[in-house]
Amino acid sequence: MALTKEQFIADFKDMALKMYAAPLEDLSSQQLYQALALLTRTYIAQPWADTKKRYDQEETKQVYYFSIEFLPGRLLQSNLLNLGILDAVEAGLHALDLHPQKIFDAEADPGLGNGGLGRLASAFMDAMASVGMAGNGNGIRYQYGLFKQAFVNGYQVELPDDWMRNGFPWETRKENRAVTIKFGGWVELKPSRSGNLRVIYHQTDDVLAVPYDVAMVGYHNGVVNNLRLWSAEAPINAGSRFTLEQKERINQITQILYPDDSDNAGKELRLRQEYFFTSAGIQSIVRHYRRTHNSMAGFADRVAIHINDTHPAMAIPELMRVLMDDEHVSWNEAWRITLKVMSYTNHTLLSEALEVWPIDMFSGLLPRIYQIVQEIDRRFRLAFVPQFGQAMIDRIAPLGNGQVRMAYLATIGSHAINGVAPIHSELLKKDVLHDLFEIFPERFNNKTNGITPRRWIQIGDRPLAHLLDKKIGTTWRKNPLALRKLHDFSDDPHFLSDLNAAKAENKRALAKYIDQTVHVKVDPDAIFDVQIKRLHAYKRQLLHVLGILDAYLALKRGEKRPKRLHIFGAKAAPSYVYAKEIIKVMNAVADMVNGDPEVSPYLQVVFLPNYGVTMAEKIIPAADISEQISTAGKEASGTSNMKLMSAGALTLATLDGANIEIKNAVGDDNIEIFGLTEDEIAGYYRRGDYRARDFYEKDPRLHAVLDMLVNGQIPGIETEGRDIFNSLLTYNDEYFVLADFESYLAANAKLDALYQQPQAWAKKALVNIAESGRFSADFTVQRYGHDIWHVVPQTPEDDGLGN
Ligand code: GPK
C-alpha cells in the first residue's frame, strides 16, 4: 500500500488520541505500540476483507495448515514491512522524535510453540501469503506460551509466559464462528427412516471453541490470509449449569502449551487439546464450504488439509465423522474424499517423539472417533494382510499394543507424507515407516524446510540488507534467488571489507545486548560462535562444551588461540533431567572461563536465557560460526542452519538434516564438515561394537576434558558432571559425542586459522549468503502447493534440494 510519512503522522496522532485521549508525548512505549499496532490493523482490514471475498468469488482452493504450534514472532515490524510501509512509518516516528525500535520492543513475542516445528508453521503462513496462495492456519490460542527461562545459580527455572497481559492487538474474536466440541460420554448408532445412520451422543462434555483470527500479511502483494487460533470456553447459555470446577476444566484446554519438544508423554489434557483444535478446524472448514455448496462431492477439489506432525492426525477420523454422520456420505466416498484432502509431514525419527495413545484413554475421551479408527484399522487389515502378511500388518496398523499409533494412522489416511530434508525422508522410508512405504511407496516424498529471509535479513539484519541493496539492487527482497548476483563480487576486496564491516556492526550491537541482559562484557572482535536450538542430547550442545573445555586447557597451557566467543541459546523441556544437567554444566563452564583472567581475553562463553524468535533476530546477524553438530541421522532438518547461513555465518556441521543441502549449495570449500556419517553410525548400531571408553582411553585431550567433569575443576557440578560423565562412559555415549570429538576439534582449528584471513573468510561468507535464497520458505510452500496440495499449476523451478 502507499502511505506517505505525513499521512502516517496524521493517522498515528489521531489513533493515539482516540485510544488514550492524550498526546503522543504522554504515552509509554507500550501505549505507543498498542496505538501503532491498532493503526496497522486499520491498514490491513481492507485487503484482508478483499482477499477473503476474492477467494470466495473465485472459489480458490484453500489450504489449511493444522499445527498445534505456531511461532509467528513479533508482528508489528513484519506487518509494516510486508505492507510496504515500514520506511514511511519509521521516518514518521523519527520525525515525531520517537524511537521505532523502542516501540517495536514493547511487543510480546507469542511463544505458541516449542521450536523448529512451530517456527516452520509460521514461516509457511508468511510464505503462503507472500506467494499469493490461499493458506489458512489452524491452531490453539494458548493463554500461556512456552515458559520463560531464567537461570538461578546456573539451573534452568521456568516461569509462566503471560504473553497476553497487555492484550494481543493482532487478533479478532469471531464469536459468530464458534463451534461445539464433544468429549466423553457414549454414542448410540441408530438407522434412521431415510436409511442414514443416526449417531446419538449421550452425556458428553461439550466445549465451545471460539476462534480468534490473526492476519497473515503477504509481502507487497495485497494478499492477507488468516491464522485461526481456537480458545476453549463454556458453551453459551449453559453458563449457569456449569460449576466453577467444570469451567476451570474447560478453560484448561487452551491454557498452556506443552513444553516438551520431541517427547510424547501421553497426557490426557494433551489429547484433549489435539482433538479440540482439530475438530474445531474440520467443523469450520466444512461449514464454510457448505455455505456455498449443497453437497460434499466437490470438497476435495476446493480444500487441502495439511497436518504438521501427528498432533492434528485426528483430522482424518474427524473428517470421516463429519462426512458420514453430519453429511451422510458413505464410508467409501468419505474415505476417498479424506485421502484426497489430507497430507502429513513427519518431523522426527526419534522413537520417543512418535505419538501413541493408550486405547483406554483414547476411546474414553473420544468414543465416536475411536469407532472410526477401529473401522479404519479393520479395513486396513482386511485390505493388506493377504498381500503383506499378518506380522507386518500387525506392526503398522493404526491399533496395536493397546495403543492408537498416530504416525501410522496419519500415513494410512493421507495421500502424501513427507520428511523435511532428503536424508530424513530417506530414513523414514528405510526405518521408521518402512513397512508403510512398502505398501504406499507413491505417497512418500521430501519437502526440504525453509525460512523467511524477510524476517531474518530484511528485519533482523539491516546492515546486511542495506549493503545488498547497494551492491545488487533490491530484487533479492522479492526473490531471494537474486542473492546469487553476489557471486560477481566474490573477488572484490572492497565489497568483502564491506561485508566484514556489516558483520562487525551486528557484533557490536549483540555485544551491547549481551552486556545489558547478562552483564558480561564481550569483545566484538572475537569470533562469534553460535549454537541456538532446543537443548537435546542428540543436538549435542555437550560436544560444543567439551570443545570449549579443550580450548580452556590449551590456553591454560599457554597456547595461543584467536579469540572466540561462544553464544548459546537453548531451552530444555522442564522434565528432561539430562538436558537440564547440561544447562547447569554450560553455565558453570561459562562462569569458570569468563572468570579466569588468563583465559577470558581469548575465550568467553555466554548462555543467553530465554531464547526465542525475537532473540534469534538479534543473535543470527552477528554470527560468524553456525554450530550444527547433531549426531548424523538424528536431526530431521534443522532450520537455524539455514538462517545462520543467510547471515553469512560459516556452518560447522555433521552430515545431518539440511546441513547436507547447505553443503551441496555452497560447495565443500565453504562449509566445515566433520564427524561420523549416518552410514557409519548405522554400522556401529548394526554391529553393536561402539565402545566410547576406547576413545577416552586413546585420546589424551578427550581424557583431560572428560576428567574435568568429575575432578572438581569446574565449580558446582558434582552431581551433573558425574551424571554426564557416566552417560558417556558407563552408558556408552548414545549420541557418539566421543567418537566425533577429535574431528570436531580439527574442524574448529581450521576455522581458527581461516579467521586470520578476513578476506578469505568474507569470501566464504559471501558464497553462503549468495546461495541461501533457495532455502526461502516461499519456494518450499510452492513445492507443497504443486506436489501435494495441487494449488500451484506450473512446475516450480528445480532448486536442487532433492524435492
Ligand atoms: C521435530 F519432532 C519434532 C518436534 O516435536 N519438534 C520440532 O521442533 C523439529 N522438531 C526438528 O527437530 C528439526 O530438525 C526440524 O527442522 C523442525 O522440526 C522443522 O521441521
Side-chain angles (χ1 to χ4, degrees), residues 115-117 120 261-262 309 347-348 420 449 538-539 635-639:
L117 174 153
L120 187 77
D261 184 74
S262 15
D309 218 294
H347 292 267
T348 185
V420 290
N449 282 165
Y538 83 79
K539 295 178 190 279
E635 187 70 271
S637 161
T639 44

Side-chain angles (χ1 to χ4, degrees), residues 433-495:
L433 299 175
H434 173 263
D435 293 336
L436 285 162
F437 173 63
E438 295 268 289
I439 303 182
F440 307 117
E442 71 291 346
R443 295 185 185 182
F444 284 73
N445 71 101
N446 175 250
K447 292 288 167 284
T448 302
N449 282 165
I451 59 171
T452 171
R454 286 176 285 279
R455 180 170 294 271
W456 305 110
I457 305 184
Q458 297 202 51
I459 294 174
D461 199 345
R462 300 239 189 150
L464 177 61
H466 290 146
L467 183 60
L468 293 172
D469 287 346
K470 243 178 37 196
K471 205 66 194 177
I472 59 172
T474 58
T475 50
W476 66 273
R477 290 177 178 263
K478 186 91 188 166
N479 180 3
L481 289 180
L483 290 168
R484 289 197 172 125
K485 289 189 204 153
L486 280 177
H487 287 304
D488 295 347
F489 305 100
S490 66
D491 289 312
D492 173 346
H494 298 290
F495 182 66

Side-chain angles (χ1 to χ4, degrees), residues 416-603:
I417 155 165
N418 70 283
V420 290
I423 182 178
H424 167 59
S425 297
E426 286 308 312
L427 289 172
L428 282 177
K429 294 192 281 190
K430 209 167 83 172
D431 295 339
V432 186
L433 299 175
H434 173 263
D435 293 336
L436 285 162
F437 173 63
E438 295 268 289
I439 303 182
F440 307 117
E442 71 291 346
R443 295 185 185 182
F444 284 73
N445 71 101
N446 175 250
K447 292 288 167 284
T448 302
N449 282 165
I451 59 171
T452 171
R454 286 176 285 279
R455 180 170 294 271
W456 305 110
I457 305 184
Q458 297 202 51
I459 294 174
D461 199 345
R462 300 239 189 150
L464 177 61
H466 290 146
L467 183 60
L468 293 172
D469 287 346
K470 243 178 37 196
K471 205 66 194 177
I472 59 172
T474 58
T475 50
W476 66 273
R477 290 177 178 263
K478 186 91 188 166
N479 180 3
L481 289 180
L483 290 168
R484 289 197 172 125
K485 289 189 204 153
L486 280 177
H487 287 304
D488 295 347
F489 305 100
S490 66
D491 289 312
D492 173 346
H494 298 290
F495 182 66
L496 294 176
S497 301
D498 287 347
L499 261 186
N500 283 337
K503 182 61 77 182
E505 185 180 341
N506 289 326
K507 288 163 74 170
R508 284 194 298 273
L510 181 60
K512 196 167 147 199
Y513 175 77
I514 290 172
D515 190 13
Q516 285 164 355
T517 50
V518 293
H519 313 294
V520 178
K521 297 238 181 300
V522 301
D523 183 350
D525 293 330
I527 305 173
F528 280 27
D529 178 340
V530 168
Q531 189 172 17
I532 41 176
K533 50 186 79 252
R534 285 297 285 246
L535 202 310
H536 203 294
Y538 83 79
K539 295 178 190 279
R540 299 200 298 190
Q541 280 92 354
L542 182 57
L543 177 58
H544 190 167
V545 172
L546 297 183
I548 293 169
L549 290 177
D550 178 75
Y552 172 84
L553 291 177
L555 290 164
K556 285 304 241 185
R557 287 194 300 268
E559 249 179 58
K560 283 278 161 282
R561 296 268 176 119
K563 173 149 198 181
R564 236 197 242 206
L565 168 65
H566 297 267
I567 299 167
F568 292 100
K571 288 182 182 178
S575 62
Y576 192 168
V577 174
Y578 186 69
K580 292 174 105 171
E581 290 187 325
I582 291 174
I583 286 184
K584 169 64 181 173
V585 169
M586 286 159 77
N587 278 319
V589 168
D591 288 345
M592 177 186 74
V593 166
N594 300 343
D596 187 326
E598 273 176 17
V599 170
S600 61
Y602 309 100
L603 180 65

